[in-house]
Amino acid sequence: MEIRAIKEGDEEGIRSLFSACFGKELSREEWVWKYRRSPWGATASVAVEGGEIVAHYGGIRMEFFFRGRIFHVYQPCDVMTHPRYRARIFSRKGAMVRAAEHFYATNPMDFAFGFASERHSILGTKQLGYTKHNHVRVLTRKVTSSGLLWRLLLKVKRGWGSIEGGDLDSLWEKVRDYHGLSIMKSSRYLFWRYRDRPAKEYLPLTIGSRQKNAPIAFAVISLGEADMCVLDFLCTETLRAGTLLKVLERIAIEHGRKNLVLWTHQGDPLFGTLVSKGFVEQKGIPNSFKVMSDTVDVPFLIENYWYWMGDYDAS
């Protein structure tokens, strides 16, 4: 069995493996978006036997920011093993484990992070040196009447045509030092992540003061059958969290959604505000890390990584 990095000509084999593993298609447009157009690059390691790709361990490269420092990070994605090889998945000689070891040996990074299933989180801990997983905090609240007083003070624009890249970059520069450890959410990332993703639609909201042109908040939402999920959120300190919730509730009402759902880390001051406003906390999916540099440690990552739902959805 050959273990190597992906190369030109592997795309069809990877997409075929995806179909065999997950029972659905990975379109060429999605594959190109993820592995060829992501802001900081993406790559993968594969196991090949008899000319067939039988295991794949992909990763999207990210840049994280925390108090003036940039971290080089990977988010694993499309971790898959052909059904014929799954009986050996917990074996040290398993094809996927060998592909993963190659991936981490050949791609420098400060750490990797992921939101895997319980089963794959256990595999990551036992075989790949990942931390024992925690679970994200999911906050949910039923939508109530939002009132309209905020409309006298704020203007809300919807759609990608209502926001300029420069405005998003300026907003990120204003808020990034108040965040915990976070993906660098400049326009380069946000446009790629949400605007340019094939086959998925997201609704961006730009919130500004009626007295000034510059946005004071930006959010990205997705609409489920009953829920409105807040995937990403940037907000200056001039906008009160309670006012923002009224804006989001109004949007949910307009779209006929019954619940607001989002993720927040307990270290984010917004977490306490949301709980005080009636949001109920539930245990979400696993979150874990693989430390690859002596400049970071596990307690730092667990305490400071302020995740949002959109951090997971990208994978």
Side-chain angles (χ1 to χ4, degrees):
M1 182 179 293
E2 179 188 10
I3 309 295
R4 59 168 174 79
I6 58 171
K7 62 183 181 180
E8 290 295 327
D10 282 343
E11 176 193 339
E12 291 304 317
I14 294 168
R15 293 175 56 213
S16 176
L17 177 63
F18 188 96
S19 179
C21 291
F22 302 115
K24 59 183 180 180
E25 181 185 7
L26 173 64
S27 71
R28 184 176 190 279
E29 291 77 15
E30 181 90 358
W31 186 86
V32 169
W33 168 79
K34 189 181 296 186
Y35 289 98
R36 293 290 181 260
R37 296 179 180 168
S38 56
W40 301 289
T43 188
S45 293
V46 294
V48 183
E49 188 163 80
E52 179 185 8
I53 295 175
V54 299
H56 177 279
Y57 197 96
I60 301 173
R61 192 170 182 268
M62 303 281 186
E63 287 190 357
F64 273 57
F65 181 87
F66 183 71
R67 296 180 182 176
R69 182 180 172 189
I70 294 176
F71 296 84
H72 302 290
V73 180
Y74 274 91
Q75 180 179 26
C77 59
D78 302 326
V79 176
M80 48 192 177
T81 307
H82 195 282
R84 294 195 307 271
Y85 291 79
R86 286 180 185 168
R88 292 181 279 168
I89 194 167
F90 281 92
S91 166
R92 191 64 180 171
K93 300 299 182 180
M96 192 276 288
V97 172
R98 292 175 62 187
E101 290 176 337
H102 180 274
F103 180 89
Y104 289 112
T106 55
N107 293 293
M109 68 191 80
D110 291 306
F111 64 92
F113 76 106
F115 303 93
S117 66
E118 295 279 350
R119 180 170 180 261
H120 281 95
S121 295
I122 293 171
L123 171 64
T125 300
K126 289 186 174 181
Q127 301 288 2
L128 301 177
Y130 267 73
T131 62
K132 184 178 180 181
H133 62 271
N134 294 305
H135 293 84
V136 303
R137 288 172 166 82
V138 182
L139 295 181
T140 304
R141 192 181 84 170
K142 289 188 178 298
V143 173
T144 60
S145 177
S146 65
L148 298 176
L149 182 61
W150 58 266
R151 288 193 172 187
L152 300 175
L153 304 173
L154 301 174
K155 54 184 177 182
V156 180
K157 298 180 181 179
R158 312 178 197 200
W160 295 109
S162 67
I163 183 71
E164 298 288 339
D167 288 336
L168 275 180
D169 292 334
S170 295
L171 181 59
W172 167 247
E173 290 290 328
K174 291 176 184 176
V175 306
R176 66 181 187 174
D177 288 324
Y178 300 107
H179 277 244
L181 180 66
S182 171
I183 297 171
M184 290 272 288
K185 293 183 177 176
S186 62
S187 62
R188 183 185 180 197
Y189 169 79
L190 291 169
F191 284 162
W192 167 78
R193 166 69 185 87
Y194 299 108
R195 185 192 66 184
D196 301 336
R197 183 167 187 179
K200 286 202 175 186
E201 292 187 6
Y202 306 94
L203 177 61
L205 305 173
T206 307
I207 303 169
S209 165
R210 291 197 175 275
Q211 287 73 40
K212 297 180 181 180
N213 291 325
I216 57 177
F218 175 79
V220 179
I221 63 175
S222 67
L223 300 168
E225 290 186 5
D227 300 336
M228 188 178 93
C229 298
V230 184
L231 300 184
D232 248 311
F233 168 65
L234 301 175
C235 182
T236 65
E237 291 186 313
T238 59
L239 181 61
R240 295 179 182 271
T243 304
L244 175 67
L245 288 175
K246 292 177 182 178
V247 174
L248 293 174
E249 283 190 318
R250 185 61 190 174
I251 301 297
I253 289 170
E254 290 177 3
H255 288 278
R257 296 321 191 262
K258 298 179 180 179
N259 305 298
L260 280 177
V261 182
L262 51 83
W263 295 0
T264 56
H265 185 273
Q266 64 178 355
D268 187 338
L270 184 62
F271 178 85
T273 300
L274 294 172
V275 172
S276 72
K277 297 291 184 180
F279 276 78
V280 177
E281 178 185 352
Q282 298 174 318
K283 184 172 76 172
I285 63 175
N287 171 222
S288 57
F289 305 93
K290 180 176 174 63
V291 175
M292 297 292 290
S293 168
D294 58 9
T295 62
V296 295
D297 58 27
V298 174
F300 167 79
L301 295 173
I302 293 174
E303 179 181 354
N304 292 294
Y305 173 36
W306 290 7
Y307 47 73
W308 279 83
M309 192 179 293
D311 294 4
Y312 163 73
D313 193 52
S315 65

